[in-house]
């Protein structure tokens, strides 16, 4: 059986208010995360290096140094861990400050635990290599679970066959795939069509994915197709 804790990720909760810190830690552990905690900015800097978290939940108002300063220090030391700020302050200026210095988002107090878990999960899916069933190529992303495909902010609507084709290309991003390979992988083996169907679907995909944007789906003359930024 797989260890769900390893699957869900390691979190560092930084919060000086003991009741909130303990509630967050308990709930996130219950949800399957491995959780370490810190009560001050100084402790947070130490723990961010020693615990190797996949994400830091960081209170902005801390007794010694504020959350923004913690992130500034981490970033200047080359620690790139994703950060979600916890704050009662929800002024627009604070948001801009936090995001500019390398945060991944805000959760405003009072928060619901469901919201915290949903936001943590969303950031981890995006940032944690190996855990995310999110394939990306440049600004194109494909969510394997939800079947949502985006080019930048634009959602790309695909038929099931187009989705399977794009999925196969993106799984093999940077590799040349022959038309025969694509036909075998994307269409069932008893499909008695020829590679012409691959050419047709590549052109459908291009119209939806590459319309008016830098091209991602490339023809490699005489060999096949490749997706790459
Ligand atoms: Ca606080």
């Amino acid at each position: 059986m797989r260890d769900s804790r390893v699957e869900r990720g390691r979190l560092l909760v930084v919060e000086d208010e003991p009741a909130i810190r303990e509630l967050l830690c308990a709930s996130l552990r219950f949800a399957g995360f491995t959780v370490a905690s810190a009560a001050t900015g100084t402790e947070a800097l130490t723990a961010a290096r020693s615990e190797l978290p996949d994400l830091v939940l960081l209170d902005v108002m801390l007794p010694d140094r504020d959350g923004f300063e913690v992130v500034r220090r981490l970033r200047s030391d080359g620690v790139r861990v994703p950060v979600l700020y916890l704050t009662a302050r929800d002024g627009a200026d604070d948001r801009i400050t936090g995001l500019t210095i390398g945060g991944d988002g805000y959760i405003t107090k009072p928060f619901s635990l469901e919201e915290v878990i949903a936001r943590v999960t969303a950031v981890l899916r995006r940032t944690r290599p190996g855990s995310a069933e999110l394939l990306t190529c440049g600004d194109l992303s494909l969510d394997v679970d939800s079947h949502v495909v985006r080019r930048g902010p634009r959602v790309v609507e695909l038929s099931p066959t187009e989705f399977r084709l794009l999925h196969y290309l993106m799984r093999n991003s940077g590799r040349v795939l022959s038309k025969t390979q694509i036909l075998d992988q994307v269409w069932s083996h008893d499909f008695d069509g020829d590679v012409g169907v691959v050419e047709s679907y590549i052109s459908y995909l291009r119209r939806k994915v590459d319309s008016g944007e830098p091209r991602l789906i490339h023809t490699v003359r005489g060999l096949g197709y490749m997706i790459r930024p």
Side-chain angles (χ1 to χ4, degrees):
M1 209 177 115
R2 290 198 302 182
D3 184 345
S4 63
R5 284 164 195 274
V6 173
E7 293 289 312
R8 288 220 87 172
R10 300 170 64 84
L11 309 179
L12 172 61
V13 171
V14 185
E15 168 65 67
D16 60 308
E17 185 63 49
I20 300 178
R21 185 177 65 243
E22 282 156 26
L23 178 68
L24 276 172
C25 289
S27 308
L28 290 163
R29 281 191 191 110
F30 185 73
F33 296 96
T34 300
V35 185
S37 67
T40 65
T42 306
E43 277 182 36
L45 288 172
T46 307
R49 294 184 183 96
S50 63
E51 301 290 335
L52 302 176
D54 298 310
L55 182 147
V56 181
L57 272 171
L58 180 60
D59 186 24
V60 172
M61 301 285 270
L62 293 166
D64 51 349
R65 48 179 102 215
D66 72 22
F68 301 134
E69 198 192 324
V70 170
V71 171
R72 211 174 283 125
R73 278 288 296 276
L74 288 175
R75 297 301 185 243
S76 74
D77 292 351
V79 180
R80 306 244 56 93
V81 61
V83 172
L84 276 174
Y85 294 104
L86 296 171
T87 183
R89 303 191 302 185
D90 60 349
D93 292 346
D94 284 345
R95 276 171 204 262
I96 290 162
T97 308
L99 296 175
T100 306
I101 63 177
D104 294 81
Y106 257 84
I107 300 173
T108 307
K109 295 174 187 172
F111 47 74
S112 73
L113 292 166
E114 290 77 12
E115 183 194 0
V116 173
I117 291 167
R119 297 284 302 280
V120 165
T121 304
V123 172
L124 289 179
R125 290 185 100 194
R126 211 173 60 228
T127 57
R128 202 169 153 234
S131 75
E133 274 297 32
L134 187 73
L135 302 175
T136 61
C137 177
D139 62 351
L140 177 68
S141 69
L142 178 149
D143 187 314
V144 177
D145 299 326
S146 69
H147 280 214
V148 174
V149 175
R150 283 200 168 80
R151 181 82 199 253
R154 174 172 70 89
V155 172
V156 182
E157 303 282 353
L158 299 178
S159 72
T161 304
E162 290 164 349
F163 181 86
R164 282 203 307 278
L165 174 57
L166 184 63
H167 186 196
Y168 182 57
L169 291 173
M170 289 182 78
R171 275 240 180 275
N172 293 285
S173 173
R175 291 176 56 194
V176 181
L177 302 167
S178 73
K179 292 174 191 174
T180 313
Q181 263 177 312
I182 295 172
L183 188 66
D184 285 348
Q185 293 293 324
V186 179
W187 281 265
S188 62
H189 288 277
D190 53 7
F191 177 75
D192 59 2
D194 61 26
V195 293
V197 73
V198 176
E199 292 163 12
S200 303
Y201 271 86
I202 287 282
S203 79
Y204 303 153
L205 260 191
R206 277 190 170 138
R207 247 174 268 159
K208 293 181 174 182
V209 170
D210 279 349
S211 63
E213 281 142 311
R215 179 181 281 202
L216 297 174
I217 300 169
H218 302 270
T219 302
V220 183
R221 204 172 292 273
L223 293 174
Y225 301 103
M226 172 169 61
I227 197 163
R228 64 169 166 73

